[in-house]
Amino acid sequence: MRAPGSDESYLRIAGLTVGYGSTVVLRGLDLDICRGELVALLGASGCGKTTLLRALSGFIEVRGGRIEVDGRDITRLPPERRNMAMMFQSYALWPHMTVRQNVGYGLRLRGLPRAEVRERVDGVLAMLGLSDFAERMVDRMSGGQRQRVALGRALAVEPTILLLDEPLSNLDAKIRHQVRHDLKAIQQRLGITAVLVTHDREEAMILADRIVVLQDGGIAQAGTPEEVFCKPATAFVADFMGADNAIELTAEPRDGALVLRVPGASSEAVVAAVPGIGAGAVRALFRTQAARLCAGDAILPDGLVLPGVISQRTYPGGQFRYMVQSLGRTFLIDDAEARDVGAAVGVYLPASALHVFPAEGLPDDAVAASSPVSKECSSCASLA
Amino acid sequence: MTFRTRVLPLVLTLPALVVVAVLFLVPLGYSLLSAFEETETGEFGFGNFAKSFEFYGWDMLFTVIITGLATLLIGALSIAIGGYLVLGGHPRLVAAMRWLYRWPLFIPFIVAAQCMRTFLAKNGIMNNLLVTAGVIEPLSAQSFLDWRGILFTFVWKQTAFAALLVSGAMASLDPATIEAARNLGAGKLRVLVEIIVPQVRVTVAVGMILSLVTILSVLSVPLMVGTGSPTMLTVDMAFRINSYGDYGVANALGFLTYLLAATVAWFYLRRGVSTGGTP
């Protein structure tokens, strides 16, 4: 998968196969990353994202394929000769060293004069707002400070590639939100090539120039955050990107478009024609925030209205979140209006909210081969 | 309330206290008193210590050197073994090392000493192997049943124990701290010296201190392997008792040995206090 808008790959992964024992984790994976690009590897636990990062850093022996950096084959090089810096999920700071010693260790390994090490460490600490803590032992630092020390240690050696292994997962929510933007700003300012592993969709969307969604050791989809969010290539990607309400519909091609209906209901939604999908059953996924509630007998334009009953109401903030039982399924729907549990409602699904895929039961490769089939949501119109 | 909080705990710990008192504190106190009791006159004084230094001064120095050297070697080897188990690149060799290094743990000192007698003697297995391999001439073969044999036996026997402690501590480190150093460009030796050992230094020290105390108390090895003079204090103590029935000098030697062990124990305990009770 080549980086969009670029004809030169800086980090090239070709046919990479990696496994543990008899288990093959990555299966012939191909990925090109441009210089200065931040790519997020996103996926569920066990999909191979951390394995890919560890293969890049040299901590796992590769069974097949190649890893190249700027045209140089590094597939068999030991970790210490790859000039990549990794930021670990646990931060992996050395508790017997001060902040300054941690950050300067990589520079010391490179044999730089002591004065230059000190100068560069001071620069990194100043950039990360850690100047006042230079002589403090790292085990006396807070989680957020440790995270910055770990980042500083990785950045101090000016690596060719920065590898980030769930770097924010140990921070509490408030700090995490702030640090995301700090991390992105630093990466952009330094123009460093980075690979980020995360299972946090929002984190990937904010930090990454490009998101690579991994599934079962392969790439399910790669693209900009907007592309992956608005045009998921498979039902798995759509589900992972938050479209976790699913419904079976019937499709009927008409005048170059696809008309979607709920069996037994009169409303219909018209979406763009989808290669590989003709008349018959399809599976549609939609986000909690993309649907809304209406009266059970409402007739609304260009969308489906499903009859349902509210079975639960919560308030996560901003809007109410309703659990609605409809057509034998359970949906989560956000709506601003306060409604009672037990009330009969209609679930309005605008055509733009629907991501349509072949119905379940089709072979996996048929699903994977299908191109993005959702009608563009309003926020993604510019992607067309 | 009073019974449950004050009396019951005492009752529960009483058996252990009695065992410690009867089997350790009373004999220790009796030995200490006996060390200061003149054998001929029955009066208290430093005569036994004077005699100990006069007769066994070189043996005291020999004991300090042998135990110190053995302890240092044990520390170094345990670090090397632990480091290989953590950083070793060849999985089969690492597995073999993991399996092999513990064997001496299950061999008593007296058996180890007997094994070394057949291994290190002039016509022992080691020399035969060296001659067969053409490394030495038969005429240049020499016996190692002296200070070298004692040192070799102690190190061989006790390294397994220290390595067990040290490798356990190394294995419990966050592997990411090791990977982080390698990721930044550190070779394996540098990772061992600069990253791993500083993090397990307390465990290394514990292994070395416990080994030193063990070595100080072993009689069979210097008796069976070290055939000449000087020898170790345990041999002298046994000799004073068995040959002369001189418990006074034997206890004085024991007291000095205890002082040596107590010195390192003091460092160990002081470290424990400074780290909040963690050994």
Side-chain angles (χ1 to χ4, degrees), chain A residues 54 57 59 78-81 84-86 88 90 92-97 102 105-106 108-110 153-154 157 163, chain B residues 89 173-188 190-199 201:
Chain A
R54 293 176 65 79
S57 61
F59 292 125
E80 60 266 27
R81 291 179 56 199
M84 295 182 183
M86 187 158 169
F88 292 81
S90 65
L93 298 175
W94 301 305
H96 58 289
M97 294 186 190
N102 266 277
Y105 186 74
R108 206 153 57 80
L109 289 176
R110 282 154 179 75
R153 184 177 65 182
V157 296
L163 306 174
Chain B
L173 291 178
D174 177 4
T177 60
I178 297 167
E179 291 175 348
R182 295 204 64 199
N183 181 246
L184 287 175
K188 289 183 179 178
R190 199 149 185 175
V191 170
L192 179 65
V193 173
E194 295 182 348
I195 303 298
I196 297 177
V197 170
Q199 293 189 73
R201 63 187 187 282

Side-chain angles (χ1 to χ4, degrees), chain B residues 136-149:
Chain B
I136 59 170
E137 293 294 323
L139 287 177
S140 61
Q142 55 175 300
S143 169
F144 283 81
L145 296 176
D146 50 21
W147 68 272
R148 292 168 298 183

